[in-house]
């Protein structure tokens, strides 16, 4: 691990405006700098960098943090990777704990080079790629190669004095009954790169009719197929640019879609989309297009993906290729127009999931219809209330049942949301003052009741309980929200009290309660004293 001291040392050497300027064009705006946010599409800048606080924050999509966080988000790196990147950008040395050995994966590059070189001399492999319509450009871009016989690979490793233990650890070879053998034998190879661009594994397609058409590297300490997406490192810039990512099922789909200009396509590695893929998909918040085959397996996988993605609030939808046709075929047969059409008409995740559920039942019998509704409703319950109610109408019309029968309002709400929509500037000013000077918190707590925060009570409570919550970060950076010194804060709180009691007064005036006159007098006196500055305790 990188030592804490050297991370601190690095932080002292970097300046956030300088760091971000290397990636974005920043414009001065008051004490801060602004740019169009690189993490969500926008035309008017809401991405703000504060040199005084050394943080960035986007008022559009909410991303933000320090320099390291920016590099993590922008370059799609893990925390230690971002630190290493910054250290090399600014020539700062890092120290590592003794027990940490940085993973040297250079053997993967050497094997990849070897596979690529072999492809140029293997006619069968070249003919196969040609028959699938894969261009020379694509072969180069995706570094497609050819893995030879087992012996040839092992000889290559030995002759080049490569570390056989590493080769085994990274899944290139393994120990069998008759000694070492190569995992990829007479296969077209597709190197798989992690988010940091390092090769962590291979995919291989047989060209000698082996039973397993496709295989992947086995699970190793650097290769976890449920956290990787094939083609992501080549697609990532386009994913950000287009604000869309296409998720397919296979290597060839990715290669061919890129070849046809759909250069934001990636693929899962022979697995369904899982929870573990979501952090990668979330990067940059692109719309997600799940593009699967129309066979039974494809439809099932698309249903599972739709449920997973809609429950995690991802935007996007599903496209299903006609049965027996895959995107690779369509590109090969130059059906680009049709592909464009298909890709511009995805079925959104919720509608797809509901249609799929309904398709599993025979709606001619009332009992089946009821079961279909039961399953659909169970799925809907995990969605947010607005989406749920929207699609309740959809499902009612699909099942041809009266919507009044469906009572959704009695269902408990799953989500708790913090309301940030409405704004009360003076309340925000108090909160920002306390964020910058927490010594003043006692004054506020001694003067007013937290319930007196009408619009921003949630933020006030967050400030008390978890002042580091990123939801408060945007407030720190906002120039339109001013802060107070101690005296003006007291005046502000006094006004808040006056407003509070004036509201109460109005309520009592128009209510019908016992002792109304007495209550009114009490409140009037309180307000009078507050206005005179004689009373500032609630
Ligand atoms: Zn943004």
């Amino acid at each position: 691990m990188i030592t804490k001291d050297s991370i601190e040392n690095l932080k002292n050497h970097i300046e956030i405006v300088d760091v971000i300027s290397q990636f974005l064009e920043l414009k001065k705006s008051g004490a801060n700098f602004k740019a169009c946010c690189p993490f969500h599409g926008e035309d008017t800048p809401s991405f703000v960098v504060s040199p005084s606080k050394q943080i960035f924050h986007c008022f559009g999509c909410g991303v933000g943090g320090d320099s390291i966080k920016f590099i993590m988000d922008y370059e799609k790196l893990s925390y230690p990777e971002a630190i290493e990147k910054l250290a090399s950008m600014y020539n700062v040395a890092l120290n590592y704990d003794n027990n940490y050995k940085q993973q040297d994966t250079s053997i993967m590059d050497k094997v990849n080079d070897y596979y690529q070189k072999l492809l140029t001399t293997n006619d069968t492999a070249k003919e196969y790629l040609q028959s699938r319509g894969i261009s020379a450009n694509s072969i180069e871009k995706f570094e497609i190669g050819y893995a030879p016989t087992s012996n040839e690979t092992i000889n290559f490793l030995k002759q080049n004095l490569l570390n056989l233990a590493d080769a085994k650890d990274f899944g290139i070879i393994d120990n069998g009954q008759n000694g070492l053998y190569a995992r990829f034998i007479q296969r077209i190879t597709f190197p798989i790169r992690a988010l940091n661009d390092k090769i962590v594994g291979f995919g291989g397609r047989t060209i000698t009719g082996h039973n397993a058409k496709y295989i992947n590297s086995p699970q190793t300490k650097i290769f976890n197929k449920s956290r990787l997406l094939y083609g992501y490192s080549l697609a990532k810039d386009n994913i950000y640019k287009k604000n869309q990512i296409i998720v397919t099922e296979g290597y060839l789909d990715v290669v061919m879609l890129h070849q046809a200009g759909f250069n934001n396509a990636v693929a899962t590695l022979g697995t369904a989309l899982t929870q573990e893929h979501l952090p990668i998909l979330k990067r940059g918040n692109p719309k997600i297009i799940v593009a699967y085959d129309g066979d039974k397996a494809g439809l099932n996988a698309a249903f599972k993906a739709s449920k997973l993605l809609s429950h995690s609030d991802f935007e996007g939808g599903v496209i299903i290729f006609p049965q027996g046709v895959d995107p690779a075929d369509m590109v090969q047969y130059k059906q680009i127009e049709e592909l464009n059409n298909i890709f511009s008409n995805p079925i959104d995740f919720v509608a797809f999931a509901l249609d799929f559920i309904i398709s599993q039942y025979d709606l001619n019998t009332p009992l089946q219809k009821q079961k279909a509704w039961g399953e659909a409703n169970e799925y809907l319950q995990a969605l947010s209330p607005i989406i749920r109610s929207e699609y309740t109408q959809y499902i009612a019309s699909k099942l041809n049942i009266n919507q009044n029968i469906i009572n959704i309002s009695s269902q408990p709400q799953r989500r708790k949301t913090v309301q940030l929509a409405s704004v009360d500037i003076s309340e925000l000013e108090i909160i920002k003052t306390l964020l910058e000077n927490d010594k003043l918190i006692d004054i506020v707590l001694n003067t007013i009741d937290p319930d007196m925060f009408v619009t921003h009570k949630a933020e006030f409570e967050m400030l008390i309980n978890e002042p580091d919550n990123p939801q408060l970060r945007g407030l720190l950076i906002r120039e339109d929200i001013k802060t107070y010194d101690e005296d003006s804060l007291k005046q502000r709180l006094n006004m808040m009290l006056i407003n509070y009691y004036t509201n109460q007064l109005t309520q009592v005036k128009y209510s019908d309660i016992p002792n109304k006159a007495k209550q009114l007098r009490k409140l009037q006196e309180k307000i009078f004293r507050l206005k005179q500055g004689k009373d500032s305790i609630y």
Side-chain angles (χ1 to χ4, degrees), residues 367-383:
L367 199 59
Q368 288 269 310
K369 207 187 239 192
Q370 185 192 313
K371 281 185 178 161
W373 160 245
E375 191 183 337
N377 188 41
E378 195 187 321
Y379 162 68
L380 284 175
Q381 287 310 318
L383 299 171

Side-chain angles (χ1 to χ4, degrees), residues 36-42 46-47 57-63 285:
C36 281
C37 177
F39 305 112
H40 82 279
E42 62 172 8
S46 46
F47 179 90
H57 180 81
C58 173
F59 289 97
C61 65
V63 297
N285 273 323

Side-chain angles (χ1 to χ4, degrees), residues 2 14 31 41 57 63 101 131 137 144 146 196 221 224 226-227 235 253 267-268 284 292 297 364 384 427 441 475 517:
I2 306 166
I14 53 180
H57 180 81
V63 297
K101 183 175 145 259
S131 75
N137 256 340
I144 298 171
Y146 174 70
N196 63 7
K221 54 187 166 185
N224 178 350
S226 44
R227 280 190 206 146
D253 291 340
T268 48
Y292 286 175
N364 293 318
S384 72
E427 287 185 12
I441 286 180
L475 199 53

Side-chain angles (χ1 to χ4, degrees), residues 76 102 143 190 251 260 276 288 324 337 394 442 503 519:
K76 296 148 198 94
Q102 225 184 330
E143 305 168 278
F190 303 87
Y251 302 102
E276 288 186 284
I288 299 178
E337 194 66 19
Y394 178 85
D442 282 344
N503 274 338
Q519 294 261 13

Side-chain angles (χ1 to χ4, degrees), residues 55 431-432 434-439 441 458-476:
I55 55 175
I431 295 170
K432 186 178 180 186
L434 302 181
L435 269 174
E436 293 197 342
N437 188 352
D438 56 13
K439 291 193 191 82
I441 286 180
E459 288 96 321
F460 182 70
E461 283 174 342
M462 196 181 276
L463 166 87
I464 306 294
N465 300 320
E466 37 168 347
D468 292 330
N469 191 304
Q471 289 199 43
L472 296 170
R473 188 184 48 226
L475 199 53
L476 267 180

